[in-house]
Each structure stands twice: as structure tokens, then as C-alpha cells.
Amino acid sequence: MATAFFDRVWKLLSKIPKGKVTTYGEIARALKKQGAARAVGNACNANPFASSVPCHRVVGANGLLGGFALGKKAKIRLLEKEDILVKNGRIVDFKVKFWRF
DNA sequence: GTCGTGACTAGCC
DNA sequence: CGGCTAGCCACGA
């Protein structure tokens, strides 16, 4: 992997401050690739820095978790650890926790 | 080079 | 509100 696109995604993800979340679409848009949300998700799933890249801070456009390589459960646990409450697979106060680049 | 798939999104009906 | 369609990017067969 390690394509330019993937690298950009990982770099942006690493910039997300603790306690904040963003969306796949936002990341894609930040890369001037609006609509490439799928590729963003792909990058997160295949990122070699899984323990360094906070891919758990990336959720759907409406606050839905979407998915997680290690399981939603783990994702939720990580998020709640950062003061980001998750209810029924959705971010609580999503608009408040939302981070825009 | 084409096709199918995926942690997505937005628009229509 | 639910379902379908089209569009986007990258990857593997």
C-alpha cells in the first residue's frame, strides 16, 4: 500500500486531537477527493500504523461508527476512553465532537 | 484493461 | 423512513 493517497489519510488521521472525531467524507474532502470516502475507509483498514493512527476517531457522515477492523466494540471502548460517548453505534453529541480539518 | 468489492455519501423516489 | 442509484478512489483477480 503506502500510496500517496493512503499516506495523506493516515497523516490527517494522526492530526485528529484526542476527544474529537471526523467523518470519511470530511477526510476525502480535505484531500480534494470528495466522494472518495470509500478509499478513506480502505486506507484506515489497511493502515500499517493501526496502533498509531486513531482510525477509531473516524465515523460515518451522520455519526454512525460504520465499521472497525478490530470490531465496533473495541472502537466504542477506545472512543469512550476519550470522552466520546457512543450509543447504539452512534456518536453522542456528534456535532460537538466533530473535528474539521 | 475490465469487473467486483469495500470501515462512504448524496440524491431520488 | 427505507430502498435504489450513481459517483468517488484504490486494490486484487
Side-chain angles (χ1 to χ4, degrees), chain A residues 5-24:
Chain A
F5 183 78
F6 279 32
D7 195 35
R8 294 277 178 266
V9 174
W10 301 328
K11 194 166 184 178
L12 283 176
L13 289 181
S14 63
K15 289 183 177 179
I16 303 175
K18 178 187 172 203
K20 294 287 183 179
V21 296
T22 190
T23 69
Y24 300 95

Side-chain angles (χ1 to χ4, degrees), chain A residues 26-90:
Chain A
E26 183 61 23
I27 294 172
R29 193 156 67 84
L31 297 175
K32 314 296 186 195
K33 308 275 183 173
Q34 187 167 21
R38 282 184 153 163
V40 175
N42 243 349
C44 291
N45 184 43
N47 89 81
F49 312 107
S51 47
S52 304
V53 178
C55 38
H56 59 275
R57 291 181 188 146
V58 185
V59 298
N62 58 339
L64 291 176
L65 292 188
F68 193 57
L70 305 179
K72 292 183 184 175
K73 194 176 175 184
K75 188 169 184 175
I76 294 172
R77 197 164 69 77
L78 289 169
L79 289 171
E80 294 189 327
K81 220 171 176 182
E82 301 183 357
D83 299 318
I84 300 172
L85 298 181
V86 179
K87 182 145 190 169
N88 194 26
R90 190 175 71 81

